[in-house]
C-alpha cells in the first residue's frame, strides 16, 4: 500500500467528516452526494490498482460490523383511506410538510 500517505489520508478523511456533518446539519444533499461520490471513486481506483486490498477491506469491514448483523431486515405495511397520509421510511426521513 502507501503507508507514507497515511497521515495525509487521515487528514482528508477528517476534513470530509467535518464537511459531511455540516452538510447533514444544513440538509445539504448535494454536498453529501458529492462527498459520497468522491470517496467512492477513490476506493474504486485503489481497488483497481491494488486488487489484493479488496480482501483486506472486506476483513476490516467485517470487524467493524456489529456482531450478528446481517443487514437491515425491514418490513413495512400500511393502509390508508380517505385523505389519510402514510409516511414510511426504512431509515432517515425528512418531511417538511406541516
Amino acid at each position: 500500500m502507501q503507508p507514507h500517505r497515511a497521515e495525509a489520508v487521515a487528514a482528508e478523511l477528517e476534513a470530509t467528516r467535518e464537511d459531511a456533518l455540516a452538510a447533514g446539519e444544513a440538509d445539504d444533499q448535494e454536498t453529501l452526494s458529492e462527498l459520497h461520490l468522491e470517496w467512492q471513486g477513490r476506493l474504486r481506483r485503489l481497488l483497481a490498482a491494488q486488487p489484493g486490498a479488496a480482501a483486506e477491506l472486506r476483513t476490516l469491514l467485517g470487524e467493524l460490523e456489529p456482531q450478528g448483523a446481517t443487514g437491515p431486515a425491514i418490513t413495512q405495511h400500511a393502509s390508508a383511506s380517505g385523505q389519510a397520509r402514510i409516511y414510511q421510511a426504512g431509515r432517515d426521513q425528512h418531511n417538511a410538510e406541516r
Side-chain angles (χ1 to χ4, degrees), residues 4-27:
H4 62 282
R5 292 213 44 218
E7 248 181 74
V9 172
E12 291 171 18
L13 281 168
E14 182 57 31
T16 299
R17 179 183 177 277
E18 290 172 11
D19 290 346
L21 288 173
E25 288 178 12
D27 197 25

Side-chain angles (χ1 to χ4, degrees), residues 16 19-21 23 30-40:
T16 299
D19 290 346
L21 288 173
E30 184 177 345
T31 296
L32 290 171
S33 268
E34 288 173 5
L35 294 170
H36 175 88
L37 289 172
E38 175 188 349
W39 282 93
Q40 184 179 39

Side-chain angles (χ1 to χ4, degrees), residues 34-64:
E34 288 173 5
L35 294 170
H36 175 88
L37 289 172
E38 175 188 349
W39 282 93
Q40 184 179 39
R42 286 176 177 223
L43 281 171
R44 182 181 41 76
R45 287 188 298 276
L46 170 69
L47 295 174
Q50 308 220 2
E56 292 178 46
L57 182 58
R58 277 190 210 94
T59 299
L60 176 63
L61 292 174
E63 291 171 5
L64 295 175

